[in-house]
Amino acid sequence: MALGEIGRRSETARLRAVLEQSRRGTGAVVAVLRGEPGAGKSALLDAFGAEAAAAGCRVAVVRGTGVGDRPCAAAHRLLAQLSPGDGDGELVAVQHRTPPGDLEGLAAAVQAGRDTPVVLCVDDMAGVDSWSLRWLLDLSRTVPPAPLAIVLTARTCGTGAGAVSAPSNGASSAPGSALLAAAEPIDVSGLRVEDLPAAAAERCRVGLDARTAAVCGELTGGNPALLYALLAPHSGSVPTEDALRVTGASGALPGVDRWLAPLSTPALALARAVAVLGGEAEVAVSAELARLTVEEALGAVDQLVDACLLANRTPLAFRHPLLAAMVLGSMAVGTRTALHLRAAALLRDRQADATTIARHLLAIGPVGQEWAMRCLWRAARRREQEGRSQEAARYLRGALREPLRPQEKLAVRRELAGLYAFVDPERALRLLDDARCESHTPDVAVEYALALAVVLDECGRSEDAVTVLDGAAARLGRTPGDSSLQLRLRLHKAFTCRRGPLWLARAADPPGSLTCQAPHRGAAGRELAALRAVHAVDAGADRGVAARHARQGLPRGEGHGSATLLWHACGALVAAGEVAEAWTHCGRGRRVAGARAGRWDHVRIELLRATVLRARGDLYAADAVLTPMADRLVPFAATGRPLAVTGVATLVEVRVLRGATDSARSLLTESGLDRDQLPWRRDSAYALAARAAVHEGDDPGRAVENLLAAGRLLEEAGVRNPAVLPWRSRAARVLAACGERKEAAELAGGELADARRWGTAESIGPALHALALTESGERRIDLLADAASVLARSSDRLQLAVVQAALGEELVRAGRGEAARTELLSALQLAQACGAEPLARRVQGARRPLRALGPEALEPSGTLSAMPRPASVGRPAADPASADRAAAHSPHPLLDSLTPQERKILRLARDGYSNRDIAGRLFVTVRTVEFHLSGAYRKLGIAGRRQLAEVFSGG
């Protein structure tokens, strides 16, 4: 029973138990093997009969013959095998003319071997005549003269005895139903996936591994007959997954007639309709496609379920995908195409999902109508949003086969190229280049050239992109047309040269020749404004001009290039200190055409979001945005894709700030950004800064070297604005920590001058911080206090936390515990909110010296409390610790919204101290006090000091 036991150990064990039970019992034992056609019931029955015969049993086997069989034919054959030549067939005929209890025929048949067990095997009881079934039923109810086992097979189309098919001869099924009810059911299901390789090797000499076995299980449901039909064309080989799927989709498999030949004409028509509709077909739609009434369709459904082609449920679906492929493969191509065409029109009228209709459109080829192209395009976008890029590309290729106007063909080709650009850039380049060469309309040719240049630029081939743009400009120069087309080509060339190698940037058109152009409307006008914005940022002279041009360059719709415009415009806004406004515009990025997963526009939008989050100091969110793209960006960065390099560099810095330095170092290694030589272009400056961030803790010299290299690159590119990359202040901080204060002071002073000329708190604060580290004593404290005051107006919470931590450390060393407590507590809260774990640990360490001042310096929660200080002469004494506790228990609901520094200043103001006195007590500037007071008044909704008593008293 080796073959019968492949994947059938449980069924074989139960059959053996049936045989043993019949030997021990005093009555007949009945069992039924139930399963769909091809499940292997007959093979199990044959194996069981062979084992029973080998055990000394008298075995008789009969197979149902179906319509036209004479009464008692199966019983005649069984008795003839038990006692051949003694005329017991006549006894059986006599038996059925006598009362049911008369078993003289069987007694005569087994008279020669009364003690020998008898095994009756009945294969396909649906084909057995009802008289023989009645005889078997009577036999099962009577004590036989010898041990008796009756094993039958029955076709099931669902679950339970009620799902067993009726006899094919049309006779009454009452004896069969009663026999099934009395029998022990043994369900024969499909083979498990892990058993398929052994079955395939034994029967078809086909080698299957785990993945190909899973494909076979998916297509056949483990049905052995379907499995052997699927593998027959691959006999003696080791097929691949794709080869198996192609074979399954072809439907040209052996054994099709076994399933389809018994079907009536309506049932076959409905089966074809369900196969064409695919998925889960509604009864009414299937009936209309098959040109049947609903009543006729329901009768056909019952026949198809009885034949085990359809699952016993609605919506209608085949039991196994390979059955649907068999039905499709059995149809002539003309019939199949006509059904797909009719199904597409039918589903369109019923407003079905675009992807459902598009599948039929692909099967029939060009329809020649606009609705077909629109449907295929919508389906492509749906599949792309679901991450199924291959299907999306197939739908777009189908749309290109439809008759399209030049602009429509341009849009579809650009969409298809956008799909290819991320996974197969060479294919995208060929598609756009061929389209560019065959286009005869100037504006369409320019659009193809622009799209081709974008893909080349994204691949790091800026030189080739410039060549394409110059060629398009030369071609356009010979053709009368709109001057805005020439301007767009020049603008794209300017952006491409800006992202490319520095020698290419120097060879480009002078920036002034473009930025001095008169304002334009439309796409060219927005691109010109974006270029002016980025040039203003690089120059670092007029922040207001940069912000104004950035707002003018923001995209107005969802057209092609919107993601790039958003990238440049929002980047300029971030550099100009308008971080909140940039974040608002980032929300529009998700609606930009092409900003879907698996496209460079999506990478650009997500990287922009991460950049804004990093500028706000939100490391958690920035990491969450970039991490899902890391697996794709790392290999792209290794091949020199500029956007990928920038993305990986940003993620590396975020990981370092969060304390995951090992992870950041791994990213650098995998992306190749840790190699000695990097391309001399702007994105390499960010890679060098990321390398410096990783090495700052273990190799300060290497960190400084990388930062200075980034600075040389940016200066060569004409960028001195610290808002682009504050390389001097970062290098100055490292040098100051190493004792190189003179060099650090030169770097920090130079950046501070540039930062003040630019005018944003985000650039001035870090420069002041770096300059403070080159000083000592009171001078360092004053500069750090000024830096904290400046950064309090910025959106960069992380940089503020860094400066407050440094200020707190200096105040601790100076013995000013009260002021140190305030700064360190604020720094700790900000560091924890930003996700900067190393900074939080550093602040915790800075708090330890304050513990030596006594337990009163700590609140019960473990946070630092204010240190009592003597009151000024002529002023009411105020215990800040008592004020802290009073504020903590104040009933006013808005006090909790204040920062610790705001609460501290507010309490001193309530107690009558002037702004100058408060500044002196807290070692901050008067301007800082004024800033915190105005912010607190705004949060509390009060006008000034007179209402502070009411706030703290709960009134």
Side-chain angles (χ1 to χ4, degrees):
M1 282 183 67
L3 181 60
E5 286 187 349
I6 294 177
R8 301 300 186 194
R9 297 186 183 276
S10 174
E11 293 87 342
T12 300
R14 293 186 65 184
L15 287 172
R16 288 171 178 158
V18 167
L19 184 59
E20 292 300 321
Q21 183 183 354
S22 68
R23 288 176 172 177
R24 294 193 305 268
T26 57
V29 178
V30 185
V32 57
L33 292 166
R34 308 186 309 186
E36 64 183 12
K41 304 182 296 298
S42 298
L44 275 173
L45 188 66
D46 291 343
F48 171 73
E51 182 163 313
C57 300
R58 301 167 63 195
V59 180
V61 181
V62 68
R63 305 191 189 280
T65 57
V67 180
D69 216 0
R70 62 188 178 87
C72 301
H76 273 271
R77 295 189 186 91
L78 289 171
L79 290 178
Q81 295 175 58
L82 291 175
S83 52
D86 63 358
D88 16 322
E90 180 63 26
L91 293 175
V92 173
V94 171
Q95 174 193 349
H96 286 285
R97 295 194 295 270
T98 58
D102 187 354
L103 299 179
E104 294 179 3
L106 181 59
V110 299
Q111 188 173 8
R114 182 177 300 273
D115 295 330
T116 303
V118 175
V119 174
L120 303 180
C121 299
V122 181
D123 193 12
D124 190 14
M125 63 176 294
V128 175
D129 61 278
S130 61
W131 286 96
S132 296
L133 291 175
R134 185 177 302 159
W135 172 69
L136 288 170
L137 178 63
D138 293 342
L139 187 61
S140 68
R141 293 173 175 174
T142 308
V143 179
L148 175 63
I150 303 174
V151 181
L152 313 99
T153 67
R155 183 178 63 197
T156 57
C157 306
T159 57
V164 177
S165 300
S168 59
N169 57 15
S172 172
S173 60
S177 298
L179 191 60
L180 286 172
E184 176 187 350
I186 301 176
D187 290 320
V188 183
S189 58
L191 296 173
R192 296 177 302 175
V193 172
E194 51 265 33
D195 296 323
L196 296 184
E202 180 74 24
R203 179 70 178 267
C204 302
R205 296 183 298 109
V206 171
L208 297 179
D209 57 18
R211 299 182 67 176
T212 51
V215 172
C216 290
E218 174 192 338
L219 296 175
T220 66
N223 185 294
L226 293 177
L227 175 68
Y228 303 145
L230 176 64
L231 297 179
H234 305 282
S235 180
S237 66
V238 181
T240 63
E241 297 177 64
D242 291 339
L244 290 173
R245 292 193 183 277
V246 169
T247 302
S250 68
L253 302 173
V256 177
D257 292 342
R258 173 181 182 180
W259 298 84
L260 303 184
L263 299 179
S264 65
T265 300
L268 182 59
L270 187 68
R272 290 175 171 175
V274 175
V276 165
L277 288 171
E280 296 186 337
E282 298 291 342
V283 174
V285 179
S286 303
E288 187 171 352
L289 184 59
R291 301 185 186 277
L292 300 173
T293 65
V294 174
E295 291 75 14
E296 292 172 334
L298 291 174
V301 168
D302 289 343
Q303 185 179 354
L304 292 171
V305 170
D306 184 64
C308 292
L309 278 167
L310 295 185
N312 191 23
R313 62 179 176 83
T314 56
L316 305 178
F318 283 88
R319 290 176 66 87
H320 307 299
L322 195 60
L323 292 174
M326 284 182 168
V327 173
L328 287 172
S330 68
M331 287 188 282
V333 64
T335 303
R336 186 169 62 247
T337 302
L339 281 175
H340 277 296
L341 180 59
R342 191 158 180 266
L346 182 64
L347 293 171
R348 179 203 61 188
D349 294 341
R350 290 176 174 264
Q351 298 181 343
D353 183 74
T355 54
T356 305
I357 305 172
R359 186 177 61 83
H360 298 287
L361 295 174
L362 287 182
I364 61 181
V367 177
Q369 298 183 21
E370 186 175 354
W371 71 266
M373 185 274 291
R374 298 292 179 190
C375 178
L376 288 165
W377 202 348
R378 289 197 303 272
R381 290 193 171 182
R382 175 72 60 83
R383 285 292 183 252
E384 189 183 354
Q385 290 169 354
E386 296 170 356
R388 299 160 69 173
S389 299
Q390 294 294 334
E391 286 188 46
R394 191 163 63 249
Y395 288 144
L396 288 173
R397 290 195 296 269
L400 284 174
R401 292 185 295 173
E402 299 291 338
L404 303 173
R405 291 185 290 273
Q407 289 293 342
E408 292 174 335
K409 185 172 290 188
L410 165 67
V412 176
R413 278 175 168 167
R414 185 180 282 158
E415 189 94 3
L416 185 57
L419 271 176
Y420 290 151
F422 204 70
V423 295
D424 190 356
E426 290 301 322
R427 190 171 185 179
L429 293 173
R430 288 195 303 271
L431 171 69
L432 293 172
D433 196 32
D434 293 343
R436 175 178 66 100
C437 294
E438 72 182 28
S439 177
H440 301 291
T441 307
D443 56 341
V444 174
V446 167
E447 293 295 340
Y448 280 127
L450 292 172
L452 179 59
V454 166
V455 178
L456 286 168
D457 191 24
E458 288 168 346
C459 293
R461 297 168 56 181
S462 303
E463 303 93 328
D464 295 336
V466 169
T467 301
V468 168
L469 293 171
D470 286 342
R475 178 181 177 184
L476 190 63
R478 297 190 299 267
T479 305
D482 189 353
S483 61
S484 65
L485 294 178
Q486 282 282 10
L487 177 59
R488 290 191 65 197
L489 289 170
R490 294 178 64 195
L491 289 169
H492 275 252
K493 180 180 177 180
F495 280 121
T496 301
C497 292
R498 188 172 183 271
R499 289 187 293 266
L502 294 190
W503 67 262
L504 186 64
R506 289 192 294 268
D509 295 337
S513 65
L514 281 173
T515 56
C516 294
Q517 292 277 337
H520 281 68
R521 295 181 179 179
R526 288 189 289 275
E527 291 167 4
L528 178 58
L531 182 64
R532 286 171 169 165
V534 296
H535 277 309
V537 170
D538 288 348
D542 196 330
R543 177 167 57 97
V545 169
R548 184 173 71 253
H549 287 317
R551 295 183 183 104
Q552 294 170 354
L554 288 167
R556 299 291 185 265
E558 302 177 5
H560 178 72
S562 295
T564 303
L565 278 178
L566 198 66
W567 168 264
H568 291 304
C570 286
L573 286 174
V574 171
E578 305 295 343
V579 179
E581 183 179 354
W583 179 249
T584 301
H585 293 299
C586 279
R588 298 168 51 191
R590 300 292 182 86
R591 300 190 297 272
V592 167
R596 297 183 287 275
R599 287 174 175 262
W600 282 111
D601 279 350
H602 175 259
V603 174
R604 188 170 282 107
I605 294 300
E606 292 302 288
L607 180 54
L608 175 61
R609 295 179 65 240
T611 302
V612 178
L613 290 167
R614 167 66 185 86
R616 294 168 54 182
D618 196 341
L619 302 180
Y620 284 123
D623 199 339
V625 169
L626 291 173
T627 296
M629 301 189 299
D631 291 340
R632 304 298 297 271
L633 291 181
V634 166
F636 286 142
T639 58
R641 306 287 182 88
L643 194 62
V645 170
T646 305
V648 172
T650 304
L651 182 57
V652 166
E653 288 206 41
V654 168
R655 293 271 174 90
V656 170
L657 292 171
R658 291 198 59 192
T661 307
D662 291 340
S663 173
R665 186 175 285 108
S666 298
L667 283 173
L668 279 179
T669 302
E670 294 170 10
S671 61
L673 299 184
D674 61 344
R675 59 181 181 267
D676 292 336
Q677 296 297 324
L678 291 174
W680 202 244
R681 62 190 189 204
R682 294 174 67 104
D683 58 282
S684 294
Y686 301 105
L688 290 166
R691 279 160 51 168
V694 170
H695 297 304
E696 187 173 332
D698 57 3
D699 192 349
R702 189 175 178 185
V704 171
E705 180 183 343
N706 282 304
L707 287 169
L708 295 180
R712 288 194 299 272
L713 193 158
L714 290 176
E715 286 183 344
E716 192 172 338
V719 180
R720 287 190 59 87
N721 190 347
V724 176
L725 181 63
W727 61 273
R728 284 171 289 182
S729 60
R730 289 179 55 179
R733 289 198 296 271
V734 178
L735 288 169
C738 297
E740 302 291 339
R741 291 192 177 185
K742 182 178 180 181
E743 185 178 358
E746 291 178 359
L747 290 172
E751 181 167 307
L752 181 58
D754 289 335
R756 282 176 171 158
R757 184 170 64 253
W758 182 241
T760 61
E762 289 83 358
S763 57
I764 296 173
L768 281 171
H769 176 207
L771 188 61
L773 298 183
T774 66
E775 303 287 347
S776 59
E778 290 297 323
R779 175 62 177 163
R780 175 178 287 195
I781 291 176
D782 290 342
L783 287 173
L784 287 173
D786 289 343
S789 175
V790 169
L791 288 169
R793 304 193 302 272
S794 78
S795 58
D796 193 344
R797 299 177 301 163
L798 179 59
Q799 190 60 42
L800 175 60
V802 171
V803 172
Q804 286 185 324
L807 178 58
E809 291 169 342
E810 290 300 319
L811 291 171
V812 169
R813 281 192 283 269
R816 302 173 185 176
E818 179 184 353
R821 181 200 70 84
T822 301
E823 300 297 339
L824 290 175
L825 180 58
S826 178
L828 179 61
Q829 292 174 339
L830 287 174
Q832 291 174 339
C834 293
E837 296 180 10
L839 179 60
R841 290 193 295 268
R842 171 185 158 191
V843 174
Q844 293 283 20
R847 296 167 57 196
R848 294 192 186 100
L850 292 178
R851 298 175 183 271
L853 299 177
E856 67 276 3
L858 293 174
E859 294 177 345
S861 62
T863 59
L864 293 172
S865 64
M867 302 293 294
R869 297 173 63 87
S872 299
V873 178
R875 295 290 182 188
D879 182 359
S882 302
D884 245 339
R885 288 188 290 272
H889 296 87
S890 172
H892 197 286
L894 295 178
L895 280 175
D896 292 337
S897 66
L898 304 181
T899 65
Q901 182 80 326
E902 287 172 340
R903 286 198 297 270
K904 172 52 117 181
I905 292 174
L906 215 60
R907 287 193 297 270
L908 292 173
R910 176 204 60 183
D911 292 336
Y913 291 100
S914 68
N915 290 353
R916 185 173 298 278
D917 290 334
I918 295 173
R921 291 179 64 85
L922 298 182
F923 301 99
V924 296
T925 63
V926 176
R927 187 176 180 182
T928 299
V929 173
E930 294 170 349
F931 173 78
H932 285 302
L933 279 176
S934 61
Y937 292 161
R938 184 173 60 255
K939 291 178 182 179
L940 295 174
I942 61 178
R945 293 173 178 255
R946 294 181 180 179
Q947 295 174 265
L948 288 179
E950 299 176 2
V951 169
F952 282 96
S953 66

